[in-house]
């Protein structure tokens, strides 16, 4: 990982120089980390001293360790068996992942973590809480459920972390978070981490932070680094067809596709499956076991495509996501940054494609403004952009119909065989000859495409 350009003595460039106990450094070493990431080197030295913090960095840049390592360091010598740190996360997957990560980082310490999240029975979590976990990683709702049962004691709590703090402090979570905060000791260290930190969230956060140090590793620039972005204008009714077309590219090995709603996610996963694409789906309405199964299937490569809504995607940390596809363009530029952060994690290269319906162009422009870049538009050569809308009943069943004949027959060789640059569309058409963009339906034509 690159080191922070602003090297100051307080920003160590190696874990050996970090103010961390050798038992903790051993956990770091075993994970194969050699250098701290910028957010880690800029926050850990202050965090281990107990200072409040607001840390902003692009997703996938090592924020989790940036708060777990100081937690381990600060609690190392505390008497065991009492809850000393609470990490609140917006999703079950994030809670599970952070807790698993904690197990690894802290495996040479005697500190224990417990993950507490909804969608599963309370029994096992109650046992973990009663069993003396010192660090609890929880989603707010489930946290409150356990608190109301009386066996959770926070009087010794020393550290509170809000992971994905922008989300934790939005209207959906804020009431629960406030209720939890009201039951925590006032004297404590509080740390907020997020990929984006809108000003209103910072204002809100200052109510319960004490002279926080603010660290910002440029999130917009980070979103642009390592990810090549491409916008693919397409009539809305042809989005699924275009996605199937894109997926003929065999370099798209592990593809995360975002939709606006749970319903659209389910429908798209069904359509892809019917088209022979090995796809699964994850969103907030699926049971915990379904979510775990879908994520595991995607992580192990069994499923090539994971269709997700934003809330479910927050917790997804999958090594080697090759592509992120915005099946629906998000209305918020920050959501785009979160999404594309799922690829290029830990400095890998990754492509982000956005299928842009006409009505989504304004959203796309706002994203470009936020990123400060112009995202290249491209049409996929050979793709029939003029096809009529499919019959609604058939669309639901995943059929594609139209003037272009049956898609399976029309499709060319895998795009891996074609001369395709990273993040660039194929520039050699299959049927139409060199670099001729596909014909564009008149009603989709816009000057800025
Ligand atoms: P996070 O932003 O916490 O979700 O981390 C993203 C990915 O980066 C995870 O897979 C971590 O295991 C990995 N990671 C965190 N810290 C480092 C580091 N210092 N060096 C290399 N990889 C890291």
């Amino acid at each position: 990982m690159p080191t922070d350009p602003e090297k100051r003595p307080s920003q160590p460039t190696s874990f050996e120089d970090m103010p961390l106990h050798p038992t903790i450094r051993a956990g770091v070493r075993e994970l194969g980390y050699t250098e701290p990431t910028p957010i880690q080197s800029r926050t850990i030295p202050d965090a281990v001293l107990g200072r409040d913090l607001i840390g902003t960095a692009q997703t996938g840049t090592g924020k989790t360790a940036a708060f777990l390592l100081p937690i381990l360091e600060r609690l190392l010598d505390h008497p065991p068996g009492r809850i000393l740190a609470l990490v609140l996360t917006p999703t079950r997957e994030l809670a599970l992942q952070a807790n698993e990560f904690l197990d690894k980082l802290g495996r040479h310490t005697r500190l224990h973590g417990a993950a507490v999240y909804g969608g599963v029975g309370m029994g096992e979590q109650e046992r973990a809480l009663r069993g003396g976990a010192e660090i609890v990683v929880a989603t707010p709702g489930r946290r409150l459920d356990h608190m109301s049962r009386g066996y959770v004691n926070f009087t010794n709590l020393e550290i509170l972390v809000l992971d994905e703090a922008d989300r934790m402090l939005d209207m959906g979570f804020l009431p629960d978070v406030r209720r939890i905060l009201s039951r925590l000791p006032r004297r404590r260290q509080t740390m907020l981490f997020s990929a984006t930190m809108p000003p209103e969230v910072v204002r809100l956060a200052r109510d319960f932070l004490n002279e926080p140090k603010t660290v910002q590793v440029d999130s917009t620039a980070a979103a642009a680094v390592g990810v090549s972005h491409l916008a693919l204008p397409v009539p809305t009714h042809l989005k699924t067809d275009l996605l199937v077309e894109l997926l003929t590219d065999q370099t798209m090995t592990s593809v995360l596709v975002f939709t606006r709603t749970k319903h659209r996610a389910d429908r798209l996963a069904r359509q892809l499956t019917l088209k022979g694409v090995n796809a699964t789906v994850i969103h907030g309405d699926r049971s915990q076991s379904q979510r775990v199964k879908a994520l595991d299937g995607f992580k192990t490569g069994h499923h090539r495509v994971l269709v997700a809504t934003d809330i479910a995607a927050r917790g997804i940390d999958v090594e080697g996501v090759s592509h992120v596809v915005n099946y629906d363009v998000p209305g918020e530029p920050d959501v785009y940054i979160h999404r594309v952060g799922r690829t290029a994690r830990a400095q890998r290269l990754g492509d982000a494609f956005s299928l842009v319906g006409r009505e989504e162009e304004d959203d796309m422009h706002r994203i470009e403004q936020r990123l400060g870049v112009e995202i290249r538009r491209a049409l996929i050569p050979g793709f029939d952009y003029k096809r009529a809308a499919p019959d609604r009943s058939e669309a639901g069943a995943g059929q594609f119909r139209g003037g272009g004949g049956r898609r399976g027959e029309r499709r060319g060789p895998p795009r891996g065989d074609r001369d395709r640059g990273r993040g660039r569309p194929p520039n050699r058409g299959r049927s139409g000859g060199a670099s001729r963009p596909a014909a564009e339906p008149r009603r989709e034509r816009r000057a800025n495409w």
Side-chain angles (χ1 to χ4, degrees):
M1 292 227 170
T3 46
D4 193 341
E6 280 179 57
K7 286 180 197 161
R8 293 203 302 264
S10 62
Q11 294 176 22
T13 54
S14 117
F15 278 109
E16 296 308 308
D17 301 331
M18 281 274 184
L20 296 172
H21 191 271
T23 52
I24 300 171
R25 284 214 294 266
V28 171
R29 233 183 353 261
E30 284 163 23
L31 282 174
Y33 304 165
T34 48
E35 289 175 4
T37 65
I39 189 73
Q40 291 165 358
S41 58
R42 289 179 61 183
T43 55
I44 291 175
D46 288 285
V48 295
L49 298 175
R51 186 156 180 199
D52 282 4
L53 268 173
I54 299 180
T56 315
Q58 165 65 11
T59 183
T61 55
K63 286 197 295 288
T64 319
F67 59 77
L68 290 180
L69 289 171
I71 289 178
L72 288 168
E73 177 65 28
R74 290 202 58 218
L75 303 184
L76 208 55
D77 296 327
H78 280 56
R82 296 187 272 181
I83 298 175
L84 299 166
L86 172 62
V87 178
L88 289 177
T89 73
T91 69
R92 309 161 198 174
E93 284 78 13
L94 265 178
L96 265 173
Q97 256 168 219
N99 192 49
E100 279 166 18
F101 201 16
L102 178 67
D103 278 350
K104 290 180 188 156
L105 287 172
R107 61 180 294 224
H108 298 290
T109 72
R110 48 145 199 79
L111 293 160
H112 298 99
V116 168
Y117 50 88
V120 292
M122 303 270 285
E124 201 179 314
Q125 296 175 4
E126 179 179 338
R127 275 191 294 284
L129 290 170
R130 286 187 190 274
E134 290 87 9
I135 302 157
V136 175
V137 187
T139 54
R142 181 50 69 96
R143 173 76 278 179
L144 282 166
D145 293 345
H146 284 285
M147 284 168 93
S148 65
R149 293 187 173 196
Y151 48 78
V152 179
N153 181 349
F154 278 127
T155 47
N156 298 297
L157 191 101
E158 303 228 340
I159 308 170
L160 170 70
V161 174
L162 299 190
D163 188 15
E164 307 275 345
D166 57 342
R167 180 98 179 90
M168 301 304 296
L169 297 176
D170 76 12
M171 292 322 283
F173 280 110
L174 190 57
D176 281 353
V177 171
R178 278 197 196 283
R179 269 203 292 281
I180 293 171
L181 282 169
S182 71
R183 301 192 205 175
L184 303 182
R186 279 184 183 276
R187 260 179 67 100
R188 57 159 201 265
Q189 177 184 19
T190 306
M191 296 186 269
L192 266 52
F193 282 88
S194 190
T196 57
M197 203 71 79
E200 62 277 15
V201 171
V202 176
R203 268 198 301 280
L204 198 63
R206 287 191 188 275
D207 290 351
F208 55 88
L209 289 165
N210 180 23
E211 296 181 18
K213 174 174 173 167
T214 304
V215 172
Q216 183 163 8
V217 176
D218 188 2
S219 60
T220 51
V225 171
V227 183
S228 43
H229 308 257
L230 190 67
L232 302 170
V234 61
T236 304
H237 71 273
L238 293 180
K239 281 190 172 190
T240 306
D241 285 21
L242 188 66
L243 177 58
V244 172
E245 177 73 25
L246 288 172
L247 288 168
T248 60
D249 177 351
Q250 298 303 313
T251 68
M252 295 183 75
T253 49
S254 182
V255 185
L256 192 49
V257 181
F258 288 96
T259 63
R260 200 171 47 239
T261 65
K262 299 166 197 166
H263 173 71
R264 284 169 74 77
D266 279 334
R267 195 186 60 183
L268 178 60
R270 252 191 339 265
Q271 289 173 333
L272 291 175
T273 305
L274 283 166
K275 295 299 288 180
V277 176
N278 195 339
T280 186
V281 63
I282 188 166
H283 56 63
D285 276 357
R286 300 204 87 200
S287 71
Q288 183 59 18
S289 64
Q290 285 173 324
R291 286 165 70 156
V292 168
K293 201 167 154 220
L295 199 50
D296 283 352
F298 186 57
K299 281 183 178 176
T300 57
H302 176 67
H303 294 297
R304 183 177 170 213
V305 174
L306 178 63
V307 185
T309 54
D310 288 300
I311 179 65
R314 286 254 176 178
I316 295 173
D317 175 17
V318 182
E319 297 260 323
V321 170
S322 66
H323 295 76
V324 166
V325 176
N326 294 308
Y327 184 85
D328 295 316
V329 177
E332 293 295 323
D334 285 351
V335 173
Y336 182 91
I337 293 172
H338 274 295
R339 288 183 180 182
V340 303
R342 302 291 128 193
T343 183
R345 291 181 76 78
Q347 317 290 322
R348 281 181 193 81
L349 280 175
D351 285 353
F353 295 133
S354 299
L355 310 190
V356 189
R358 184 178 175 179
E359 70 291 351
E360 292 170 313
E361 270 184 69
D362 290 345
D363 293 331
M364 206 62 219
H365 287 309
R366 272 204 304 277
I367 290 164
E368 290 177 302
Q369 272 167 2
R370 172 84 162 83
L371 292 177
V373 295
E374 195 178 329
I375 295 178
R376 219 157 61 79
R377 263 67 174 165
L379 296 169
I380 300 299
F383 183 77
D384 182 5
Y385 285 87
K386 283 184 175 158
R387 205 158 339 140
D391 180 290
R392 293 195 99 212
S393 58
E394 289 197 358
Q399 300 293 312
F400 303 92
R401 223 175 52 163
R406 284 183 51 200
R407 309 255 312 124
E409 291 164 4
R410 211 181 53 73
R411 225 174 290 139
R415 194 158 299 127
D417 296 338
R418 301 174 214 154
D419 184 18
R420 176 181 171 274
R422 263 214 165 269
R424 292 199 304 274
N427 57 10
R428 268 192 282 137
R430 279 146 296 159
S431 51
S435 72
R436 178 186 62 79
E440 202 179 314
R442 205 173 317 132
R443 63 198 162 89
E444 292 300 321
R445 197 187 300 276
R446 296 266 300 219
N448 53 4
W449 279 7

